[in-house]
Amino acid sequence: MSDMPKSLVLAGAGKMGGALLRGWLAPGLNGNAVTVLDPFPQEDLKALCAASGARLNPPAADRAAPQVLVLAIKPQSLGEAAASLAPLVGPQTLVVSILAGKTLSDIAAALPARAIVRAMPNTPAAVGRGITGAAASPGVTPAQRAQAQALLAAVGAVEWVADERLIDAVTAVSGSGPAYVFYLVECLAAAGAAAGLPADIAMRLARATIEGSGELLHRDAAAPVAQLRKNVTSPGGTTAAALDVLMAPDGLAPLMARAVSAAKQRAAELSG
Ligand SMILES: NC(=O)c1ccc[n+]([C@@H]2O[C@H](COP(=O)([O-])OP(=O)(O)OC[C@H]3O[C@@H](n4cnc5c(N)ncnc54)[C@H](OP(=O)(O)O)[C@@H]3O)[C@@H](O)[C@H]2O)c1
């Protein structure tokens, strides 16, 4: 935790900002180092700040430029929030933005920041099992990059990409990805019901199958995924019969490629 910043302002403590905050405080980022800005804080946020010593919405006169400013407001709020946030960006302040579709140059245009990290987390961050793709502007020093890494790693894994444009692909794979997995559960449950199972049993089977398979992936991180698949596939057996369908030339692979491509294209459109 030595790379954790000595002072941090979190702007926006909604779903994702709140998940980040909980992740930072859990392993021991000192609450006294944290200032949270959120116009209408929920009760649980107020309680968390009170318990951890984090300052919540101090008067503007009591706010100083921190080592790190984390932006977790809605992307469309950036223009409106910029005036009040600009005084918090000092010459040494690293800005870490998780705003979907806001590029490094969008952030640089809104705030007087030299060092910016653009990051794309995903919702499993709420249980400490997220993965974040991140890209750094040229002004980010190695020490600032280490700070960003420490902050983002508090809620899961981190992958850095050298070219910011790859954040659109990160968004399409891991940012939006949890929804694909939940839809897979829905499809598997529906297929189970179509195969004759009561719908509630089919749903429990499908949910537990995805949960358990995810846990196997997690615990056996070094195992090639294809090997995990082969471990449950006997030649000529039931799994092989299903995989013959899923792995056909018009099966899941081209469908997933089209889905990810559509998400990537939409991410590019939203980035302007
Ligand atoms: N959720 C995801 O899966 C995900 C994944 C990757 C990236 N992101 C990004 O994370 C950001 C936040 O998303 P979210 O889902 O956490 O949204 P959210 O729950 O609506 O959180 C945004 C928070 O920012 C507050 N806020 C608005 N204006 C503010 C200001 N000027 N200063 C300080 N706080 C302000 C909002 O308060 P009010 O509600 O009172 O307006 C709200 O509490 C977005 O930019 C999104 O693109 C989200």
Side-chain angles (χ1 to χ4, degrees):
M1 286 296 129
S2 59
D3 289 320
M4 279 291 191
K6 306 266 180 300
S7 58
L8 180 147
V9 171
L10 170 65
K15 289 184 283 298
M16 194 51 81
L20 286 167
L21 180 63
R22 283 176 182 78
W24 299 330
L25 294 173
L29 174 65
N30 192 336
N32 296 326
V34 179
T35 299
V36 178
L37 304 179
D38 197 286
F40 302 104
Q42 305 282 319
E43 289 306 318
D44 59 343
L45 175 63
K46 289 184 196 168
L48 180 65
C49 290
S52 64
R55 298 194 311 161
L56 179 59
N57 295 327
D62 292 350
R63 299 175 194 170
Q67 281 188 337
V68 180
L69 168 64
V70 177
L71 299 179
I73 59 179
K74 289 280 189 205
Q76 59 271 27
S77 305
L78 178 63
E80 180 198 321
S84 64
L85 295 177
L88 294 174
V89 182
Q92 312 298 329
T93 300
L94 166 68
V95 174
V96 177
S97 165
I98 64 162
L99 275 52
K102 293 293 178 193
T103 62
L104 292 169
S105 50
D106 290 334
I107 303 297
L111 295 172
R114 277 217 311 268
I116 306 166
V117 166
R118 178 180 171 194
M120 173 52 60
N122 66 2
T123 53
V127 293
R129 293 275 293 273
I131 185 157
T132 299
S137 74
V140 173
T141 66
Q144 287 175 322
R145 185 177 158 125
Q147 284 180 329
Q149 168 75 29
L151 289 168
L152 298 170
V155 291
V158 185
E159 294 289 341
W160 290 88
V161 292
D163 182 346
E164 183 198 359
R165 286 171 299 183
L166 290 175
I167 292 288
D168 290 342
V170 168
T171 304
V173 173
S174 56
S176 302
Y180 315 161
V181 177
F182 298 137
Y183 186 56
L184 179 63
V185 176
E186 294 179 70
C187 290
L188 187 54
L197 287 164
D200 57 336
I201 294 181
M203 179 52 84
R204 287 197 291 276
L205 292 173
R207 282 184 82 123
T209 299
I210 305 292
E211 283 175 33
S213 305
E215 192 60 28
L216 280 179
L217 268 177
H218 180 64
R219 292 196 189 182
D220 209 354
V225 181
Q227 189 57 50
L228 293 174
R229 168 170 54 75
K230 285 174 189 158
N231 290 348
V232 284
T233 314
S234 321
T238 59
T239 310
L243 287 176
D244 281 349
V245 177
L246 290 172
M247 298 174 80
D250 61 348
L252 187 56
L255 194 61
M256 187 61 81
R258 272 174 42 218
V260 167
S261 167
K264 183 180 164 202
Q265 190 181 331
R266 184 71 186 129
E269 287 165 9
L270 292 173
S271 306

